[in-house]
Amino acid sequence: MVREVALAASGELPLAASGELPLDAPAPAGENDVPAALPEPTVVPSPPPAGGCVLFLPGPEGYRLLEREHEPPLPGERIEVEGASFCVLRLGPSPLPGDRRRCAFLER
């Protein structure tokens, strides 16, 4: 084996035995082939935003969630819910798992 390495380094060993191919040797089949074009990625449209909103409403016994069919009110806006006036503190994601609607967090 030591002799083969020495011969390969000196050029006396056939190139195939040294693990190298001559520069003018034809490439093995498939190496110079142009790769097939990759298929176009499939674009999956996201579902449209859920309609309506959720209101996070404070009450005397804790908080409640109310569902509404309208768009969420804007922060700072005053709204009336069940006869009481509330101010919208902020908008955020719905606290319900998997719910894509916005949630308006209200305070009295």
Side-chain angles (χ1 to χ4, degrees):
M1 179 91 125
V2 173
R3 173 136 170 79
E4 287 180 5
V5 171
L7 289 176
S10 70
E12 296 176 16
L13 191 65
L15 290 175
S18 69
E20 297 177 13
L21 293 175
L23 293 177
D24 59 346
E31 281 192 23
N32 282 340
D33 296 341
V34 176
L38 296 175
E40 286 293 318
T42 304
V43 177
V44 178
S46 60
C53 68
V54 179
L55 302 178
F56 196 80
L57 185 71
E61 295 156 10
Y63 288 92
R64 295 186 305 151
L65 289 176
L66 298 177
E67 296 180 280
R68 294 291 187 246
E69 295 299 319
H70 54 76
E71 290 298 311
L74 298 174
E77 191 175 332
R78 293 207 66 84
I79 63 171
E80 190 168 314
V81 180
E82 299 176 345
S85 180
F86 294 90
C87 181
V88 179
L89 289 176
R90 67 180 177 91
L91 293 179
S94 170
L96 300 171
D99 189 358
R100 297 185 46 152
R101 295 175 293 181
R102 302 293 289 163
C103 180
F105 293 85
L106 309 177
E107 75 173 353
R108 286 197 185 258

